[in-house]
Amino acid sequence: HRLDRALSPLDRHVAVVGFMGSGKSTLAQEVARRIGRPFVDLDDEIERRVGSNIPSFFERYGESAFRELEATTLAAVAEGDPKVVALGGGAATLPDVRRFLRERALTIWLDVDVDTCWERARDSDRPLAQDETEFRRLYEERRPLYAEVADAVARDADDVVLAAARVHVERGALQRLGELVPGDRPVALVSDPHVAGIHGADAQLALGPRLAQTHELPPGEEAKTLAALDRLWQDLRLDRTGTVVALGGGCTTDAAGFAAATYLRGVAWVPVASSLVAQVDAAIGGKTA
Ligand code: S3P
């Protein structure tokens, strides 16, 4: 997971990658509808541009000519407003495409087991799904490439919509906080006495050596007072590469998010919401989460 990119995820294309038969186009279409963005299927777009279907193009010109087309078509599609793009299963084998995905897209890997992919692809005319052994070999070969480019792994449209909003939902995520907080720079953990008592030790353990300091805001609405904010501003010992992690309910995430946005010239922050209010309200707008 790389959540620390320069562009806000909402300015980026959402790119769905994954193996043949994983269901990328169906999923990407659903995501596009839900987030109100144009949908582009890269294979369809290629077919439209060359005026022939992919199997005949492969047969006539070979795989490397097809790969070139994939890269140039993706670059053309990426012009203009952010879209949801379903890539072909092999696009991620191209270094240019991988660079594009890292720099310009929020890339979602639709990770589906090989048996399911094969069942769906075996009777199709896809040139690289004609032989089961080769299909399975390619599947294994490409997994590291999908993993390399992916900002998030998804099983369904809900996962993608959450990832596009930079929301990470996972049972046990608190124990993985150290990996989930972007980058490797120091972290200030901000919570309130109640939540710190319940989850503070887990969060501290998970942040490990990155944890530079802890701070407790007063519980409830009092966190959102200038006095409480002033104590936090004075207490924070981060430089501009540091991250505030706000662990708690809506008041904690409101106050810590505000403090992070106004500390130095604004530092990154990650809300770790411990209540529903914090999840649906106060956490939205976190700079990187
Ligand atoms: C390919 C996957 C296909 C299509 C072409 C090559 C691949 O797209 O681009 O047949 O190399 O995996 P889907 O993944 O949409 O089937």
Side-chain angles (χ1 to χ4, degrees), residues 147-167:
E148 180 194 323
V149 292
D151 294 295
V153 180
R155 287 161 306 273
D156 56 29
D158 284 346
D159 287 348
V160 183
V161 171
L162 289 170
R166 282 300 194 251
V167 178

Side-chain angles (χ1 to χ4, degrees), residues 209-220:
R210 288 184 69 185
L211 182 64
Q213 62 177 124
T214 57
H215 181 95
E216 282 185 12
L217 286 163

Side-chain angles (χ1 to χ4, degrees), residues 18-25 41-43 46 54-55 58 63 66-67 70 86-91 93 121 124-129 135 138 142 146:
F19 203 58
M20 290 175 267
S22 56
K24 300 179 292 287
S25 306
D41 183 278
L42 196 60
D43 284 344
I46 292 171
I54 290 175
F58 248 73
E63 181 173 344
F66 175 74
R67 297 295 171 216
E70 251 182 328
L87 275 69
T93 60
S124 72
D125 57 1
R126 289 176 177 91
L128 300 178
F135 185 87
L138 265 184
R142 287 177 180 173
Y146 301 139

Side-chain angles (χ1 to χ4, degrees), residues 141-207:
E141 184 179 283
R142 287 177 180 173
R143 288 183 68 77
L145 299 177
Y146 301 139
E148 180 194 323
V149 292
D151 294 295
V153 180
R155 287 161 306 273
D156 56 29
D158 284 346
D159 287 348
V160 183
V161 171
L162 289 170
R166 282 300 194 251
V167 178
H168 185 90
V169 181
E170 180 194 347
R171 195 173 289 277
L174 189 59
Q175 278 71 36
R176 298 214 301 119
L177 197 54
E179 303 156 52
L180 293 172
V181 173
D184 55 7
R185 304 292 299 151
V187 165
L189 179 65
V190 180
S191 56
D192 75 12
H194 298 153
V195 176
I198 302 168
H199 298 300
D202 281 345
Q204 292 189 25
L205 199 65
L207 288 166

Side-chain angles (χ1 to χ4, degrees), residues 19 112-119 135-136 139-140 143:
F19 203 58
V112 170
D113 67 275
V114 67
D115 294 332
T116 307
C117 291
W118 175 245
E119 278 315 308
F135 185 87
R136 289 176 183 271
Y139 179 93
E140 291 306 327
R143 288 183 68 77

